[in-house]
Amino acid sequence: MTEQTTDILPLLIEGIRERKGRKITVVDMSDIDSAAARRFVICEGTSTQHVAAVADSIREYLLDNARIKPYNYDGYGNSQWIVIDYGDTLVHVFLPQTRSLYDLENLWSDASIVDYPDED
């Protein structure tokens, strides 16, 4: 895969919303030297099936609309936390209780954090 020149954030958000993913948060860590990625996109599903469906939707949406495949993904085994690696952006799809347990937003609280409203 070639270097991405397109900002994939709008596509990621649409992919999440396609399957009614909730509580979307973007953690911009581009000014933090020790960060694992430039940005985290975090969201939730309401059940393990919903988490997997949201993760599938993200991958399909980026492939269909921008021909972008993730470098890797993991977590489908139990679907409590699926991470999708798009290089400088890591997408985390959580069950609510798993998201609370790992609390990535607080872990990276020195980053710029933007919450996106749910669409009902």
Side-chain angles (χ1 to χ4, degrees):
M1 183 165 55
T2 60
E3 185 75 21
Q4 293 177 27
T5 56
T6 305
D7 182 15
I8 63 171
L9 183 60
L11 297 172
L12 292 170
I13 303 252
E14 284 304 311
I16 292 166
R17 288 181 169 161
E18 281 278 311
R19 290 291 186 283
K20 307 289 186 206
R22 317 262 316 150
K23 297 187 178 175
I24 302 169
T25 300
V26 175
V27 181
D28 181 347
M29 301 174 294
S30 55
D31 292 333
I32 303 172
D33 292 334
S34 61
R38 185 172 68 89
R39 155 173 77 193
F40 283 172
V41 176
I42 304 166
C43 66
E44 295 178 7
T46 56
S47 66
T48 55
Q49 294 87 353
H50 189 211
V51 166
V54 170
D56 286 345
S57 177
I58 294 163
R59 292 173 38 229
E60 291 166 6
Y61 198 87
L62 265 77
L63 185 60
D64 291 348
N65 291 282
R67 296 181 177 247
I68 297 173
K69 292 182 180 180
Y71 290 101
N72 206 350
Y73 50 88
D74 194 25
Y76 279 92
N78 64 19
S79 295
Q80 294 179 13
W81 175 8
I82 295 175
V83 62
I84 309 168
D85 179 359
Y86 284 103
D88 65 355
T89 302
L90 295 176
V91 183
H92 302 270
V93 187
F94 283 104
L95 281 177
Q97 60 270 30
T98 307
R99 182 177 184 171
S100 294
L101 177 67
Y102 289 97
D103 199 11
L104 295 181
E105 293 93 333
N106 266 339
L107 184 65
W108 295 102
S109 61
D110 49 344
S112 170
I113 298 175
V114 176
D115 294 317
Y116 286 74
D118 289 339
E119 290 187 337
D120 290 320

